[in-house]
Amino acid sequence: MKNIITYCLLSLMIPATSLFADQEEKPLYKDKKQVIEKRIEDLLSRMTLAEKVMQLNQYTLGRNDNANNMADPVNDIPGEIGSLIYFSSDPELRNRVQHKAMEQTRLGIPILFGYDVIHGFRTIYPISLGQACSWNPGLVEQACAVAAQETRMSGVDWTFSPMIDVARDGRWGRVAEGYGEDPYTNAVFAVASVKGYQGTSLSSKKNVAACLKHYIGYGASEAGRDYVYTEISKQTLWDTYMLPYQEGVKAGAATLMSSFNDISGTPGSANKYTLTEVLKNQWKHDGFVVSDWGSIEQLRPQGVAADKKDAAFKAFQAGVEMDMMNRCYDQHLGDLVKEGKVSQDRLDDAVRRVLRVKFRLGLFDQPYTAVTKEKDRFFLPASLAIAEKLAEESVVLLKNEHKILPLTNVSKIAVVGPMAKNQFDLLGSWAAHGNQDRMVTIYEALKAEYQGKAEVSYAQGCNFDGDLTSGFEEAKNLASKSDVVVLCLGEKRGWSGENASRSTIALPAIQEQLVMELKKLGKPVILILSSGRPLDLTRLAPLSEAMLTIWQPGTPAGKPVAGVVSGRVNPSGKLSMTFPYTSGQIPVYYNQRQSARPHQGKYQDIPSTPLYEFAHGLSYTTFQYGDIKVSAAQLKRNTPLKVEVSVTNTGDRDGYETVHWFISDPVSTISRPVKELKHFDKQWIKKGETATYQFEVDLERDLGFVDGEGKRILESGDYYVMVKDKKVKIEIVD
Ligand code: BGC
């Protein structure tokens, strides 16, 4: 009886066409033989206004490790919602929620489960800033594929990754999550990660939908503070921030996330230009845009919306299809449509986009996740091998005086510092499912690495911060009895990531003090630095013989570090972000625009150059570059151009070398950066051998520039192509 009443009540709200259709045995949208667009239209024609609105909302189930993001109790989750942030790794729980959607709602539309899989799900690999230092997009693609497999098999269909915000201020905690300061680098890794996550078919049970974030300009956060205003001209928007998104969209990214930041007066989540004119109209993206966590409601404090309803209106009209968490859409969108403020067309377009992603993921046909054992999903040997290789390749050898590294002829190694016996902080931010129990600390890894060859002992020395010096004495005693001190310092995991800005990027005074004390003993000091951002190492550099930055390596933890220290691994990482001389030098990045007086205007009290430049990184071998050869020095537009350089491994061991190809355009209609990265290539070169690196230049793409509307322009005149200190002139003639 109750069911009949419910049915009658529901039918009053159902469009006439679907009343008839619902009596069919199997509605078209449930027929997997039909093409997706037809299925969408069929389903759309059956949906009520309320059902459509619900598809545009994302609720949460559980919580992540970000204190801002609290969850809704499970019972609050209506089966009709579009998406759920799913913090669990249990497929059974997902299936229970999904059963509610499939069986207890009128149309049985599956829920899309999303989660922040930023640098791995359970097998955690290095943070993105470190991944970029590997200059190995193929390996990053493989790592993302591992993450996708663990994620999908755990009941999550969609990751809020990659973050591809070009970022040039190390004080901003979120630099950890992106691929550094350069637009091209972010673009290359955007493509690699989209390919890794999505594979060739979203409906595979091992792939997930990607989400390019945070669209757009979030990395321009003023003075490195989070969530604040960003001043971005249209020119800068296009030449600095758009490329990674444009390439990510071309690579097929299913979704994008609109950003928190206010872009020169129009917040990213209310920006019709970026969200609709560019993304949907120019780039023809046919997936959907989800807001960032609460970024719709935050239009109110940002001063562009009077209340939640106004915020819903502005975000939706600008082009945000899904409301993450803040219930602006489910409370107000229906009314906005009824009042005629939001058109039926816009509503249908938004719902279509969400359904399209669900259909592409195969959720209508296979809404549930197979229940598997954790051991069949996580830490598979091949997955661990990929994470370890990526961690090895992301290590950057910043300094190596007198070739102190690799440490070979030593018998007593003192391992000191707050990071030496630490696992938790090596995971980095956004790694809530990471499991520290199986991670080997740097100390344990060094012990294993040197077993039978050297004695490895430990003293903590100090904490990450505070002013307790009581551990100094023990550390000094140990160091004085040892041949060398391996000092493991850095940042705690929570010091970078979201809402983790710092006014200075130097390490806390207590850590610097420990280095000074140990240096007094006259023993060689090797600094192992783990952080989620570039560090100010100006005071520490002279106090150490060698410095390695290991970022936050994730699950492989100490093992790759020990490999580099011992020489089992030849380091090949190069910086994806400049290490400034001091925090006061920020923002400092390689592709700055030229000054009116390049010889003047510098700070009077510090050098004008950074401590370590973009792309800096040493190896245990040496490489010699030949001259750049060009296929033509003068050429017309639309002509192919090939440039190449040979690199010889002149040292005494095999190693990887990454060649970075830069261009410069000294005279142009707009002033352009002093140099711009356009291509890179990493090759393994055996000792004594020579490798050839080639760059096929597309004149318009690589030498031209974009204007403030995204139009690519190639002017005639002189350009330079550069690698290291070599450069060659190219002339474009009409
Ligand atoms: C972050 C996003 C994240 C979202 C969901 C927000 O606070 O800015 O990067 O994807 O939360 O957890």
Side-chain angles (χ1 to χ4, degrees):
M1 183 63 180
K2 190 169 160 225
N3 281 346
I4 296 172
I5 296 173
T6 319
Y7 180 74
C8 292
L9 283 174
L10 273 173
S11 18
L12 293 177
M13 301 154 51
I14 304 169
T17 50
S18 70
L19 256 186
F20 180 74
D22 283 353
Q23 286 159 18
E24 297 159 5
E25 225 165 53
K26 188 178 189 186
L28 189 150
Y29 74 93
K30 290 197 175 165
D31 180 358
K32 60 175 158 200
K33 290 198 212 81
Q34 298 290 338
V35 294
I36 286 179
E37 293 304 312
K38 269 195 174 173
R39 295 176 78 181
I40 295 172
E41 291 314 314
D42 178 63
L43 177 52
L44 204 59
S45 73
R46 297 165 192 268
M47 293 172 79
T48 62
L49 174 60
E51 284 163 342
K52 287 180 183 173
V53 168
M54 281 307 278
Q55 281 304 306
L56 306 178
N57 287 280
Q58 181 179 61
Y59 287 21
T60 57
L61 179 72
R63 55 162 305 167
N64 64 4
D65 63 349
N66 180 346
N68 281 346
N69 303 358
M70 299 299 292
D72 301 334
V74 180
N75 291 343
D76 282 1
I77 307 294
E80 288 81 4
I81 49 158
S83 174
L84 193 63
I85 303 191
Y86 188 65
F87 296 120
S88 165
S89 58
D90 176 6
E92 278 189 89
L93 178 59
R94 169 215 166 92
N95 292 345
R96 280 209 295 279
V97 180
Q98 191 73 300
H99 274 293
K100 196 170 170 188
M102 300 307 293
E103 285 150 25
Q104 295 171 30
T105 66
R106 194 177 68 90
L107 294 165
I109 304 177
I111 294 173
L112 173 60
F113 290 74
Y115 179 66
D116 288 280
V117 182
I118 307 300
H119 52 119
F121 186 84
R122 179 66 56 84
T123 304
I124 305 294
Y125 43 89
I127 54 168
S128 305
L129 190 60
Q131 290 169 39
C133 296
S134 75
W135 300 99
N136 192 339
L139 192 53
V140 168
E141 183 179 331
Q142 288 178 36
C144 292
V146 168
Q149 168 259 308
E150 293 188 352
T151 303
R152 193 80 190 254
M153 289 181 76
S154 300
V156 177
D157 319 296
W158 176 30
T159 174
F160 309 132
S161 169
M163 175 177 129
I164 48 174
D165 296 319
V166 171
R168 291 160 171 186
D169 191 330
R171 293 171 297 182
W172 191 49
R174 304 203 79 167
V175 295
E177 299 173 53
Y179 300 99
E181 71 189 33
D182 174 61
Y184 175 73
T185 310
N186 274 279
V188 170
F189 285 102
V191 173
S193 48
V194 168
K195 280 193 192 161
Y197 289 136
Q198 299 195 165
T200 49
S201 159
L202 277 181
S203 65
S204 145
K205 292 290 137 204
K206 293 189 175 170
N207 294 337
V208 292
C211 180
L212 308 175
K213 73 183 189 186
H214 307 82
Y215 189 62
I216 187 170
Y218 188 25
S221 265
E222 206 172 56
R225 291 185 297 268
D226 215 348
Y227 314 118
V228 296
Y229 178 77
T230 53
E231 179 51 58
I232 310 176
S233 69
K234 278 251 191 110
Q235 179 61 47
T236 303
L237 186 70
W238 275 99
D239 66 30
T240 304
Y241 297 102
M242 284 292 202
L243 186 69
Y245 289 93
Q246 193 167 12
E247 293 300 310
V249 167
K250 265 197 229 156
T255 69
L256 287 89
M257 185 182 289
S258 66
S259 59
F260 289 126
N261 56 301
D262 177 341
I263 308 166
S264 299
T266 310
S269 294
N271 203 305
K272 193 160 191 167
Y273 174 69
T274 56
L275 293 165
T276 297
E277 282 178 42
V278 175
L279 179 65
K280 302 186 209 311
N281 299 348
Q282 275 186 41
W283 295 348
K284 310 281 180 230
H285 185 249
D286 67 359
F288 69 88
V289 175
V290 63
S291 75
D292 201 346
W293 183 276
S295 70
I296 298 181
E297 193 185 357
Q298 286 161 28
L299 296 176
R300 222 173 22 82
Q302 281 178 313
V304 298
D307 49 31
K308 274 178 100 163
K309 186 172 178 183
D310 194 23
F313 175 70
K314 298 234 158 86
F316 193 67
Q317 292 298 74
V320 178
E321 278 83 30
M322 187 177 279
D323 175 356
M324 182 185 283
M325 186 287 290
N326 51 196
R327 310 279 173 93
C328 291
Y329 285 2
D330 66 358
Q331 289 169 12
H332 301 292
L333 207 49
D335 288 343
L336 287 166
V337 175
K338 283 186 209 144
E339 289 160 16
K341 294 198 175 117
V342 164
S343 70
Q344 191 64 47
D345 278 358
R346 169 68 188 126
L347 180 72
D348 285 352
D349 176 62
V351 178
R352 230 177 244 126
R353 289 167 178 276
V354 171
L355 295 178
R356 190 172 288 132
V357 172
K358 293 186 179 190
F359 274 113
R360 285 181 180 162
L361 280 160
L363 295 180
F364 281 84
D365 311 321
Q366 293 195 331
Y368 307 111
T369 303
V371 178
T372 50
K373 295 200 179 93
E374 291 211 346
K375 72 169 185 35
D376 296 327
R377 276 183 266 157
F378 303 142
F379 301 134
L380 306 179
S383 309
L384 290 169
I386 290 167
E388 188 171 328
K389 178 111 175 77
L390 188 48
E392 285 171 358
E393 293 197 22
S394 66
V395 170
V396 183
L397 178 61
L398 296 171
K399 159 177 182 167
N400 195 17
E401 257 172 33
H402 317 300
K403 294 193 173 169
I404 176 97
L405 285 177
L407 273 187
T408 43
N409 294 320
V410 284
S411 55
K412 286 186 173 183
I413 304 174
V415 180
V416 180
M419 200 59 88
K421 267 200 180 177
N422 185 297
Q423 290 132 310
F424 183 74
D425 295 296
L426 294 179
L427 277 171
S429 61
W430 297 105
H433 288 310
N435 180 349
Q436 55 166 329
D437 299 341
R438 60 177 301 130
M439 287 165 61
V440 205
T441 64
I442 300 174
Y443 164 67
E444 284 160 9
L446 283 167
K447 260 183 97 155
E449 191 83 29
Y450 282 92
Q451 190 162 23
K453 292 184 214 136
E455 192 186 312
V456 178
S457 316
Y458 163 80
Q460 185 182 333
C462 69
N463 293 326
F464 283 101
D465 52 5
D467 50 15
L468 261 188
T469 53
S470 53
F472 279 20
E473 224 28 62
E474 189 199 359
K476 277 159 63 181
N477 282 338
L478 177 68
S480 58
K481 286 186 257 153
S482 308
D483 304 320
V484 60
V485 186
V486 176
L487 197 37
C488 308
L489 306 176
E491 295 192 315
K492 292 174 87 163
R493 177 174 165 180
W495 292 3
S496 62
E498 187 179 346
N499 196 13
S501 303
R502 295 182 81 78
S503 68
T504 166
I505 60 168
L507 289 177
I510 190 76
Q511 295 194 43
E512 293 199 349
Q513 218 182 320
L514 179 65
V515 186
M516 284 181 237
E517 289 297 315
L518 293 174
K519 183 65 194 167
K520 284 185 198 153
L521 304 173
K523 304 285 171 152
V525 172
I526 290 160
L527 293 185
I528 311 279
L529 303 155
S530 169
S531 61
R533 52 163 57 78
L535 296 171
D536 164 356
L537 299 172
T538 296
R539 282 182 297 277
L540 296 185
L543 300 176
S544 63
E545 273 68 25
M547 294 198 293
L548 279 179
T549 180
I550 64 167
W551 307 109
Q552 285 150 333
T555 307
K559 203 166 158 216
V561 184
V564 172
V565 171
S566 72
R568 176 171 53 78
V569 175
N570 186 358
S572 61
K574 296 190 182 206
L575 296 178
S576 55
M577 196 166 174
T578 304
F579 273 46
Y581 186 84
T582 66
S583 298
Q585 215 182 33
I586 297 171
V588 56
Y589 47 94
Y590 86 90
N591 41 359
Q592 294 179 341
R593 286 188 156 88
Q594 194 60 273
S595 146
R597 292 191 191 179
H599 58 292
Q600 283 187 327
K602 317 283 185 200
Y603 292 119
Q604 300 285 308
D605 53 338
I606 53 168
S608 58
T609 47
L611 190 64
Y612 296 115
E613 285 186 352
F614 176 81
H616 167 78
L618 307 173
S619 163
Y620 292 156
T621 188
T622 45
F623 297 102
Q624 199 179 328
Y625 283 58
D627 288 330
I628 303 174
K629 293 192 197 137
V630 294
S631 59
Q634 194 190 56
L635 62 174
K636 292 194 164 178
R637 294 155 201 276
N638 301 321
T639 329
L641 171 66
K642 204 185 252 180
V643 291
E644 65 177 50
V645 69
S646 57
V647 179
T648 305
N649 182 339
T650 48
D652 54 9
R653 56 176 297 172
D654 306 344
Y656 282 113
E657 176 65 346
T658 300
V659 167
H660 292 91
W661 293 94
F662 296 94
I663 68 104
S664 80
D665 179 2
V667 183
S668 168
T669 301
I670 62 159
S671 71
R672 294 185 62 180
V674 288
K675 57 180 190 172
E676 298 166 45
L677 184 69
K678 294 295 173 182
H679 183 61
F680 59 83
D681 184 12
K682 181 174 189 172
Q683 293 189 39
W684 179 254
I685 314 180
K686 291 197 167 151
K687 67 177 173 189
E689 292 192 357
T690 298
T692 304
Y693 291 72
Q694 291 185 333
F695 172 24
E696 297 200 0
V697 183
D698 174 315
L699 300 183
E700 195 167 287
R701 181 194 65 197
D702 300 319
L703 302 182
F705 62 92
V706 273
D707 68 7
E709 292 302 330
K711 192 167 156 255
R712 205 149 264 286
I713 297 165
L714 176 66
E715 297 179 331
S716 50
D718 292 347
Y719 295 85
Y720 290 91
V721 176
M722 300 170 282
V723 282
K724 286 252 176 186
D725 53 349
K726 310 276 179 188
K727 93 186 200 179
V728 67
K729 190 160 92 178
I730 308 284
E731 192 191 349
I732 307 291
V733 290
D734 283 323

